[in-house]
Amino acid sequence: MLRIIRAFWRDQRGIALILVSVTLPAIIGFSLLAIDMSRVNNLHNDLQKAADAFALAGAAELDGSTGAWARAERAMATLVSNEGRFSTAAPNGRFTLTSGQPGGALRCNSAGNISWCFLKTIPNDDVAITTANYANADPAVGELETRFVQVTVTPTGFAAIFPVSFLSNTATGSFNVGAVAVAGFRSSVCDYTPVFMCNPYEDTSLTGGVTLEMAANQQQYRRRQILLRDNGFYQPGNFAFLASPEGNGAQALEASLARVKPVGCYAQDGVDTEPGQSTGPVQDGLNARFGISKSYIGSANGPAANVRMGLKSINCNNGQTNFETDPTKGVGLERDSCLIAGNCTLMGGRMGTGDWNASRYWAANHPTRGALPSSLVGATRYEMYRYELDPDGNPATNDSIAGDAAVSGETGNPSCNQTPVTTVDRRILYGAIIDCQAIGGFNGRANNIPVRAFGSFFITEPIKDSKDIYVELVDITGKGGRGTLDNFLRDEAQLYR
């Protein structure tokens, strides 16, 4: 008997079953915890991906123009369809996250499975977003300043498999899972000249009720000639300079204005302005586009293919010019009548009404071609200039009439045996358009100044012994634009949180 007892005591067969029996609850518990952690992590990932997608879709519409809130809501409602799993809010744990379009009138709203707020700023990552970061509640103001959208996915229920009631009588194992994302819209341009203009149409009481978007979109307003001036004050119609990667000394400024392809890139949400010496550099740099700047005659930064400007003579050694004064002989693209007479009433006397004499221009500069073509009746100066380069709109036909001799003998061909630049339109000046009055108090050097839009302006004539630039507005980026600047744009929506 004693021998049997000793044998049983030493026998280890079946001990594994005992150990497994003891540890099995712990093994099962840890397995269930691992499964629950995986399920809740997957649920959170689904919700976070949905929040990110909603925020990015909405942010892509926040271009700082009227109607941005409604467009953002529409994008979130129609462009995003994300599925979530492991929620208790739907059969089998699967559900689709949706949004809606409640009208775009409120800076904070909700629809479907999400809520959102439109923001003008965001703090550092370690600082919570508060109402101080919200856009103005009035859409007329708030839509213009909105740069970000904060999307919150409505928390959804999750039920753990792990029997937490064994650990605590009050524990249920159910809780909610949510997600938040903040995305913003960033628009920038590259290959732009380091110039900005104070929005000529910012104060509509000075422009007959015409806005910048109306001016870019309607031919009758694009015909208006604008006198850009640099007099040291940032008011509608004035121009100054942006910080340039080439520097802002007189020589660098002149080079950047003359350059065929500038090297600067600028973001719409903030540019840095830089005071510059403008009289000589602006005149020499921009006049290089007409082939009458001594520094650039014969250089790689050559003139436009059509430089018709009423030129009587030019000294190719020193760039000295003599201009025609009789419009019946050809003075180039004429000014609006009130700018000729000096009695304009729009924009403090520096904006014309668009009544330039196209028929007289045509008769003086193309005297052998009969009456003004019907397609040019009511045309802008830029449209006339482009017609001279390519009347049928087909570059392959090579039917330019820029070489026609005017009554004065001038043609549109560059002087001094210069080779014109045809890869870009040298008569176009690109620049940032800033609502200088709305910003208020900024002058000279300033950082992070928001841009209303980036624009293109047609230089109607060379600068003649002054700092004044006569231009027509051609197009703008964003809402109201006609798409001619799309090649310069670098638009992107990006996540910030």
Side-chain angles (χ1 to χ4, degrees):
M1 177 63 72
L2 183 59
R3 189 167 50 249
I4 295 173
I5 294 174
R6 287 176 179 172
F8 178 78
W9 179 257
R10 294 171 180 166
D11 192 350
Q12 296 185 6
R13 288 176 298 177
I15 194 171
L17 179 61
I18 299 174
L19 293 176
V20 169
S21 300
V22 172
T23 60
L24 185 59
I27 294 173
I28 294 175
F30 280 117
S31 298
L32 293 178
L33 283 176
I35 293 172
D36 283 341
M37 290 176 64
S38 177
R39 292 172 64 241
V40 74
N41 186 62
N42 285 338
L43 174 59
H44 180 262
N45 282 343
D46 289 342
L47 297 181
Q48 189 61 59
K49 288 177 181 178
D52 293 349
F54 282 119
L56 286 170
E61 302 298 329
L62 302 179
D63 59 357
S65 62
T66 301
W69 290 358
R71 294 197 303 275
E73 289 181 3
R74 183 164 57 251
M76 291 189 292
T78 60
L79 299 180
V80 181
S81 179
N82 278 54
E83 186 179 83
R85 298 190 180 193
F86 306 119
S87 168
T88 59
N92 302 320
R94 301 181 64 169
F95 62 103
T96 300
L97 291 142
T98 62
S99 182
Q101 303 179 57
L106 300 177
R107 67 180 179 182
C108 291
N109 215 325
S110 62
N113 302 92
I114 68 169
S115 60
W116 61 86
C117 287
F118 295 110
L119 314 175
K120 60 182 178 181
T121 59
I122 55 174
N124 294 332
D125 289 345
D126 58 345
V127 179
I129 292 174
T130 67
T131 54
N133 302 113
Y134 289 2
N136 193 293
D138 180 2
V141 178
E143 289 181 326
L144 303 184
E145 65 183 8
T146 297
R147 291 293 178 268
F148 309 92
V149 60
Q150 181 184 41
V151 173
T152 302
V153 175
T154 304
T156 186
F158 174 83
I161 300 175
F162 184 83
V164 295
S165 57
F166 284 106
L167 304 178
S168 171
N169 292 332
T170 60
T172 64
S174 298
F175 53 90
N176 290 330
V177 180
V180 180
V182 177
F185 179 79
R186 182 179 178 87
S187 180
S188 59
V189 293
C190 288
D191 304 332
Y192 245 57
T193 44
V195 173
F196 77 87
M197 298 88 171
C198 290
N199 183 5
Y201 291 92
E202 180 179 7
D203 187 349
T204 55
S205 68
L206 301 178
T207 62
V210 178
T211 65
L212 178 64
E213 291 74 21
M214 292 169 61
N217 230 294
Q218 301 181 39
Q219 185 189 57
Q220 61 179 319
Y221 300 130
R222 291 200 306 275
R223 280 201 307 269
R224 290 182 176 183
Q225 195 172 33
I226 301 171
L227 171 55
L228 298 178
R229 178 171 290 163
D230 177 19
N231 59 11
F233 299 98
Y234 291 173
Q235 61 193 49
N238 280 16
F239 74 92
F241 309 101
L242 301 175
S244 169
E246 297 183 284
N248 285 80
Q251 185 174 0
L253 179 59
E254 181 179 342
S256 63
L257 292 175
R259 191 179 299 282
V260 169
K261 188 174 182 179
V263 297
C265 290
Y266 302 98
Q268 187 167 356
D269 54 0
V271 294
D272 297 337
T273 64
E274 185 80 23
Q277 306 173 37
S278 59
T279 306
V282 169
Q283 181 165 342
D284 290 342
L286 293 182
N287 282 358
R289 302 165 185 238
F290 290 84
I292 60 174
S293 174
K294 176 184 175 182
S295 301
Y296 292 94
I297 288 178
S299 76
N301 294 318
N306 180 4
V307 296
R308 195 181 295 272
M309 54 185 149
L311 185 67
K312 290 180 69 174
S313 64
I314 181 172
N315 186 323
C316 294
N317 293 318
N318 59 22
Q320 292 298 309
T321 54
N322 184 25
F323 292 97
E324 179 61 65
T325 58
D326 185 349
T328 64
K329 294 182 179 179
V331 296
L333 294 161
E334 296 186 34
R335 298 177 184 177
D336 286 354
S337 60
C338 68
L339 287 171
I340 296 173
N343 58 3
C344 293
T345 58
L346 297 175
M347 204 185 76
R350 290 165 49 198
M351 178 181 289
T353 59
D355 64 343
W356 76 289
N357 198 327
S359 295
R360 185 165 63 188
Y361 170 86
W362 182 264
N365 291 282
H366 304 283
T368 65
R369 295 189 181 271
L372 179 72
S374 60
S375 61
L376 292 177
V377 174
T380 68
R381 295 168 185 81
Y382 182 62
E383 290 164 345
M384 175 70 77
Y385 157 83
R386 293 303 311 176
Y387 182 93
E388 291 175 318
L389 286 171
D390 188 9
D392 67 358
N394 181 5
T397 58
N398 192 25
D399 56 348
S400 172
I401 61 172
D404 284 2
V407 174
S408 66
E410 182 199 26
T411 73
N413 300 324
S415 303
C416 302
N417 298 315
Q418 297 176 83
T419 301
V421 174
T422 58
T423 54
V424 296
D425 197 334
R426 295 284 281 151
R427 294 280 294 273
I428 294 291
L429 174 64
Y430 302 97
I433 301 174
I434 294 175
D435 285 337
C436 297
Q437 289 184 325
I439 295 172
F442 96 96
N443 208 341
R445 183 179 288 109
N447 296 326
N448 204 34
I449 300 298
V451 175
R452 171 73 174 272
F454 292 98
S456 56
F457 296 82
F458 175 61
I459 307 172
T460 62
E461 62 185 64
I463 299 175
K464 303 169 183 176
D465 302 320
S466 73
K467 296 186 289 185
D468 297 340
I469 308 175
Y470 287 87
V471 300
E472 279 183 344
L473 176 64
V474 177
D475 202 0
I476 60 173
T477 57
K479 187 179 180 182
R482 295 179 295 119
T484 64
L485 297 174
D486 289 351
N487 287 341
F488 295 92
L489 282 173
R490 304 290 187 272
D491 285 348
E492 59 181 10
Q494 65 182 62
L495 287 170
Y496 289 86
R497 293 192 177 190

